[in-house]
């Protein structure tokens, strides 16, 4: 995307524009570069807004404990030319978690083993998702959204954790929890609240728990996705009634999200979407970003403006190129705090200025320059094969691995299981590829 001389732009960013707010020249006048940010009373928000200006960020999805906190923060952001969306957790509770657990323990999601999040833990203690099938949960969420929409000057609502517990975690997180999720397992498969089961039985005439493998029941999968969609669109109706914009931060693609967290976000009535395409959680390769964005251009709702959520890292410019060149209208980073030095912010600002210049030359439209297509065959991705070879080298403890041909031994659900022999040692390794939503979304190597 960087068609303007980078060094010139860097000097401009440092000497002229570092503290000025960038112009909003994107489609529908949305800010082009955003960050997610936690806000807490007493923090020096003015200095953080200055940092956002230095980096060329003109939109913030702000997570604050109460509506009054937004009333304090918004005038400061406006002074810096920054739009504010309320970044709100919906199905998973945050600031009001303890109170609702005490007052309404019956509201919480239940897994296939019959365990409620009221008194069981899924991965982490703060995972306290409610059941979207309960009318009282929907009413609670509606009133919460209304309270934030009452805030004058708030530009929009950006919902997050609008889903179920991850039935499948991104592959790079498995070691953290000592798990392998090559298929859907009951303890992480949520959505079995009695109210959800009864609602499904009324619609389809059977109990999904009676199936030999409920995870293979497409009606049951889609039903849970649809419950989440109904609540999302209820929220959108409220937000639009107040004349504000509706946004969301879902999983990487609608198909992946449906499989991993029951989140079919292509059916949500969103003005703007920030899918969290955190490639280092999945394949660790930039190609994951382009693959996801190609699919998102196709599967998002027609009236939704597509952005891309990325984590700040050493390869952030390459990641932004992949997103913008494959259909993203802008970027949100997690988070601006990752741009720790003035130099890193100046470099980021130079990038944002160059992209805005390209868009201005193209009459305000972002040119999706790449004509590349998704790569679904992992053996055509040399970067991923290189990482797999490095892992085999480590496990085999050899200076240069000599790897034989891969042999496909099994396919199950979204997983393809291969075996490959390292010829120097004679050791056999299991190499598994995961294709959630049809995209190469992870890989794993173990010694047999």
């Amino acid at each position: 995307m960087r068609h303007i001389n980078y060094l010139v732009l860097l000097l401009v960013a440092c000497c002229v524009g570092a503290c000025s707010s960038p112009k909003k020249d994107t489609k529908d006048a949305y800010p082009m570069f955003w960050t997610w940010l936690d806000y807490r009373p007493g923090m020096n928000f003015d200095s953080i807004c200055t940092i956002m200006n230095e980096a060329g960020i003109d939109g913030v999805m702000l997570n604050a404990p109460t509506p009054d906190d937004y009333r304090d923060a918004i005038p400061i952001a406006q002074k810096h030319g920054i739009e504010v969306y309320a970044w709100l957790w919906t199905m998973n509770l945050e600031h009001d978690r303890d109170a609702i657990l005490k007052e309404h323990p019956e509201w919480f999601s239940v897994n296939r083993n019959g365990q409620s999040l009221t008194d069981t833990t899924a991965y982490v203690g703060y995972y306290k998702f409610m059941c979207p099938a309960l009318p009282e949960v929907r009413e609670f969420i509606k009133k919460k959204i209304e309270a934030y929409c009452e805030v004058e000057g708030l530009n929009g609502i950006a919902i997050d954790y609008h889903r179920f517990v991850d039935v499948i975690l991104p592959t790079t997180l498995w070691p953290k929890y000592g798990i392998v999720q090559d298929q859907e397992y009951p303890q992480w498969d949520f959505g079995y609240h009695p109210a959800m089961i009864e609602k499904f039985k009324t619609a389809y005439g059977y109990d999904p728990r009676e199936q030999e493998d409920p995870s293979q029941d497409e009606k049951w999968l889609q039903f849970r996705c649809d419950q989440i969609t109904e609540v999302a669109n209820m929220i959108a109706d409220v937000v639009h009634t107040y004349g504000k914009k509706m946004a969301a931060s879902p999983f990487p693609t609608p198909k992946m999200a449906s499989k991993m967290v029951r989140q079919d976000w292509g059916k949500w009535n969103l003005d703007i979407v920030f899918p969290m395409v955190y490639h280092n959680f999945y394949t660790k390769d930039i190609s994951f970003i382009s693959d996801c964005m190609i699919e998102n251009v196709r599967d998002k709702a027609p009236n939704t403006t597509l952005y891309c959520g990325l984590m700040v890292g050493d390869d952030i410019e390459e990641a932004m190129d992949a997103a913008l060149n494959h259909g993203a209208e802008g970027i949100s980073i997690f988070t601006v705090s990752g741009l720790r030095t003035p130099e890193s912010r100046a470099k980021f600002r130079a990038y944002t200025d160059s992209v805005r210049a390209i868009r201005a030359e193209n009459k305000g439209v972002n040119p999706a320059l790449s004509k590349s297509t998704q790569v679904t065959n992992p053996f055509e991705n040399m970067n991923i094969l290189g990482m797999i070879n490095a892992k085999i080298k480590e496990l085999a403890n050899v200076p240069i691995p000599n790897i034989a041909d891969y042999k496909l031994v099994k396919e199950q659900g979204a997983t393809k299981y291969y075996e490959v022999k390292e010829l120097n040692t004679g050791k056999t390794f299991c190499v598994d590829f995961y294709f959630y939503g049809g995209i190469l979304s992870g890989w794993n190597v173990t010694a047999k």
Side-chain angles (χ1 to χ4, degrees):
M1 290 292 297
R2 298 185 298 279
H3 292 178
I4 295 180
N5 186 278
Y6 177 78
L7 291 176
V8 172
L9 282 169
L10 184 59
L11 289 171
V12 170
C14 293
C15 301
V16 179
C19 294
S20 63
S21 57
K23 293 181 180 179
K24 297 177 178 62
D25 55 0
T26 65
K27 182 181 178 182
D28 296 326
Y30 294 127
M32 189 172 185
F33 289 91
W34 296 69
T35 184
W36 288 278
L37 184 71
D38 282 321
Y39 175 93
R40 295 297 178 265
M43 71 188 298
N44 190 343
F45 187 53
D46 187 78
S47 67
I48 296 174
C49 288
T50 298
I51 288 171
M52 284 190 268
N53 286 157
E54 290 175 0
I57 293 169
D58 46 357
V60 60
M61 286 175 276
L62 199 65
N63 178 274
T66 70
D68 283 341
D69 293 317
Y70 288 95
R71 293 184 174 98
D72 292 337
I74 286 170
I76 299 171
Q78 289 175 334
K79 181 180 71 173
H80 290 269
I82 297 169
E83 286 196 13
V84 178
Y85 283 27
W87 171 24
L88 301 179
W89 297 17
T90 53
M91 297 314 307
N92 188 25
L93 292 166
E94 187 183 15
H95 304 297
D96 43 12
R97 182 185 307 126
D98 292 340
I100 300 303
L101 274 169
K102 183 177 180 180
E103 296 169 12
H104 298 288
E106 73 281 3
W107 284 7
F108 290 86
S109 193
V110 176
N111 67 16
R112 203 193 313 168
N113 288 333
Q115 299 168 309
S116 170
L117 284 174
T118 301
D119 49 20
T120 194
T121 299
Y123 309 115
V124 289
Y126 67 82
Y127 262 27
K128 296 299 177 184
F129 288 80
M130 299 180 291
C131 173
L134 289 168
E136 50 269 45
V137 167
R138 296 188 181 197
E139 185 63 22
F140 168 78
I141 292 173
K142 181 181 179 182
K143 289 185 180 301
K144 175 180 177 178
I145 298 297
E146 288 173 342
Y148 285 89
C149 284
E150 293 283 352
V151 175
E152 186 176 348
L154 186 70
N155 298 100
I157 300 290
I159 60 174
D160 197 0
Y161 286 97
H162 192 75
R163 56 181 179 86
F164 287 92
V165 170
D166 319 55
V167 66
I168 302 288
L169 283 175
T171 53
T172 60
L173 298 180
W174 295 356
K176 179 178 180 180
Y177 299 101
I179 58 176
V180 173
Q181 293 180 321
D182 55 344
Q183 57 184 294
E184 296 184 12
Y185 292 98
Q187 62 268 43
W188 298 299
D189 182 15
F190 280 79
Y192 291 79
H193 191 285
M196 184 78 76
I197 297 293
E198 285 304 311
K199 197 169 183 179
F200 181 82
K201 285 170 66 176
T202 299
Y204 293 100
Y206 67 93
D207 188 328
R209 296 171 297 184
E210 296 171 354
Q211 303 286 81
E212 181 177 349
D213 183 359
S215 72
Q216 300 303 307
D217 187 338
E218 289 297 324
K219 289 180 182 177
W220 175 230
L221 165 64
Q222 190 60 51
F223 183 81
R224 286 175 288 173
C225 289
D226 291 345
Q227 298 304 300
I228 293 293
T229 294
E230 287 179 12
V231 180
N233 289 338
M234 175 198 75
I235 294 170
D237 288 343
V238 172
V239 172
H240 290 147
T241 296
Y242 281 84
K244 300 184 187 296
K245 297 298 184 181
M246 174 69 178
S249 305
F251 269 46
T253 75
K255 287 184 178 179
M256 281 186 68
S258 295
K259 292 293 186 182
M260 299 178 77
V261 292
R262 320 311 188 199
Q263 189 185 55
D264 194 4
W265 57 263
K267 297 177 180 177
W268 299 1
N269 296 330
L270 302 173
D271 297 300
I272 183 170
V273 67
F274 300 89
M276 300 178 291
V277 190
Y278 300 160
H279 65 291
N280 284 326
F281 281 9
Y282 295 90
T283 64
K284 300 183 180 180
D285 187 59
I286 292 291
S287 63
F288 178 75
I289 299 171
S290 54
D291 285 347
C292 287
M293 297 314 295
I294 290 168
E295 185 162 305
N296 288 338
V297 169
R298 183 191 69 210
D299 291 348
K300 71 177 183 67
N303 295 326
T304 299
T305 299
L306 177 64
Y307 278 54
C308 185
L310 300 169
M311 295 197 81
V312 174
D314 293 339
D315 59 356
I316 184 61
E317 290 186 37
E318 187 181 358
M320 290 191 291
D321 278 349
L324 294 169
N325 286 342
H326 292 87
E329 295 289 342
I331 300 293
S332 183
I333 59 170
F334 190 86
T335 69
V336 69
S337 62
L339 303 174
R340 299 183 184 279
T341 65
E343 292 77 16
S344 66
R345 294 192 287 274
K347 187 177 180 182
F348 193 91
R349 176 63 183 257
Y351 182 96
T352 67
D353 285 348
S354 70
V355 173
R356 287 189 175 97
I358 292 169
R359 176 164 292 182
E361 292 172 2
N362 202 47
K363 299 180 180 179
V365 177
N366 180 40
L369 303 178
S370 177
K371 302 298 182 184
S372 64
T373 57
Q374 289 175 322
V375 177
T376 57
N377 181 354
F379 300 107
E380 295 177 0
N381 190 315
M382 294 300 104
N383 290 337
I384 290 176
L385 285 182
M387 287 186 278
I388 291 172
N389 289 348
K391 186 64 177 179
I392 291 175
K393 173 184 175 181
E394 174 191 334
L395 294 173
N397 194 25
V398 293
I400 301 176
N402 185 7
I403 297 171
D405 291 337
Y406 282 75
K407 178 183 177 183
L408 179 64
V409 295
K410 186 173 70 168
E411 292 187 54
Q412 181 175 338
T415 306
K416 292 185 178 181
Y417 302 85
Y418 287 84
E419 289 184 358
V420 64
K421 181 172 287 189
E422 200 290 309
L423 298 176
N424 294 318
T425 60
K427 293 180 180 178
T428 298
F429 295 89
C430 301
V431 180
D432 305 333
F433 295 103
Y434 309 100
F435 297 87
Y436 293 104
I439 286 179
L440 177 57
S441 48
W443 53 270
N444 193 40
V445 180
T446 56
K448 185 174 180 181

